[in-house]
Amino acid sequence: MNPKLLFWVPAMLRLVVVGAGAAVLWVLFGERTALGAACIAILMLLFVQLSYLNQLNNWLDDPDSGKLPDGWGSWTDIFSRLYRLRREEEKSQAELTEWLARFRQAMHLLPDGVVIMDDVLFLEWCNPAAERHLGLIQERDKGMRVTNLVRTPEFMDYIILGRYEQPLTLSFRNRKLTVQIIPFDNRRQILVTHDATETERIERMRRDFIANASHELRTPLTVIVGFLEIASTELDLDAPTRAAHIQLMTEQSQRMQRLIEDMLTLSRLESVDYPLRPERVDINKLMDQILLETQALSAGKHRLTMACDGPDVLGNAEELHSAFGNLASNAVRYTPSGGSIHLEYKNMLKGPQFSVSDTGIGISPEHISRLTERFYRVDKSRSRETQGTGLGLAIVKHVLLRHGGTLSIKSEAGKGSSFIVGMPQSVMSPEQRESLIK
């Protein structure tokens, strides 16, 4: 049956019942009694209807499905249908709220910035990444024009031209950003930002590495090729000159060999196909070897001291030897004759610690953060004199990364340096950790 008829039939039946009752009273008690009873019944029905209308009006002010009245007569069906509609709406709202919470959580975790703007570029919402990239604050800047918040000529030109097919790269707040506007609604646009600072830094390091490696290999090759040309054209060279040329070519060949070996070592350390296989490393034996090598490199030009009072570790002995040895040899190379160098290995609360302290030439603060970059040199001319490859500290960095260690540098120009290797307690054997706790 039609729902509209279901509403009207009970109402008509009630009127019929009232009319029938009035007719019976008319016959039994007369006209006045019947009309009076009919008026009272109609007034009661009207009061009930008005009462339910008032309850419906109050419920509409606060449409909670749990507060909906049961009703009587036709109102039972009305309230039942309203209850079902309200329950479906509450379910839809709960689902939308859940999806909105998931969306915001996902947007908060995104490394890229997302800014939602209206059609005239007024800020409606942005995620934390966009706040970091563009210096925005959601609560403060909501409702403000984005072009008033991001004040760069390149961004203004990008907005004016409206060529949003290609992203824009700009420098903003000491960052290299890639930004792009994506229209997604007639009245809304999305501004997406990507921080390319680290990518740019890595690309610059790659270019520098190729250029520096080419330069470092070309220099000894030029020397060797030059002497070979002399030897091939001047067959009557005297023995001392020829011996001197051979000596220089040997030195340059050894320099190239060291360079290539260091490059291969770095490549191996960075390879995912070369996992670390920990083994127990005898620290006393390792420190004795490093001291002997340092003494040989120093050739008696420095005062060398060593203290070793720490536990053995689990790691790769060859890699740790390379890392610790590079730090010690750097101290020799950059400490003038007569200076002091101290090697120390001890146990700290956080784990074992190896340090190399010297009274050498020191390092200015602006160079310290870049010392572990490949081929980075504070003084290129002095580095050539010391026969360094420029890869030693890069090797140290990657060895420590593989062992969970850290490298900290304390230095002052003209007053010496301290290179401190911190190792985690996890490199110690379980027995040593337990004894440390006791």
Side-chain angles (χ1 to χ4, degrees), residues 164-179:
Y164 302 149
E165 298 82 8
Q166 297 296 325
L168 169 70
T169 301
L170 57 87
S171 298
F172 188 71
R173 292 170 55 86
N174 298 321
R175 295 176 183 268
K176 199 78 169 182
L177 298 178
T178 302
V179 302

Side-chain angles (χ1 to χ4, degrees), residues 8 20 52 55 108 139 153 200 238 243 253 340 349 369 410:
W8 287 106
Y52 281 123
Q55 292 182 52
H108 275 67
E139 292 76 10
E200 181 73 14
D238 57 276
S253 299
S340 300
L349 290 176
S369 62
K410 299 178 181 179

Side-chain angles (χ1 to χ4, degrees), residues 258 262 290 293-295 297-298 302 304 321-337 340-343 354 356-363 371-373 375-378 382-397 407 409 411 416-419 421:
R258 289 194 302 270
D262 282 353
I290 292 173
E293 293 169 2
T294 307
Q295 288 173 337
L297 185 61
S298 172
H302 307 88
L304 293 173
H321 187 177
S322 175
F324 293 178
N326 268 306
L327 294 177
S329 62
N330 278 350
V332 173
R333 290 189 177 100
Y334 295 103
T335 301
S337 298
S340 300
I341 299 172
H342 180 64
L343 311 180
F354 171 75
V356 179
S357 302
D358 62 59
T359 58
I361 61 175
I363 308 161
L371 286 178
T372 56
E373 294 180 13
F375 295 115
Y376 184 80
R377 302 180 189 274
V378 176
R382 184 173 180 85
S383 296
R384 294 192 187 97
E385 293 173 5
T386 58
Q387 300 297 313
T389 64
L391 297 174
L393 289 179
I395 291 174
V396 172
K397 171 187 173 183
L407 176 66
I409 304 170
S411 185
S417 306
S418 293
F419 289 77
V421 172

Side-chain angles (χ1 to χ4, degrees), residues 71-83:
W72 175 76
S74 300
W75 287 101
T76 301
D77 182 59
I78 292 172
F79 288 141
S80 177
R81 291 170 64 187
L82 286 173
Y83 176 80

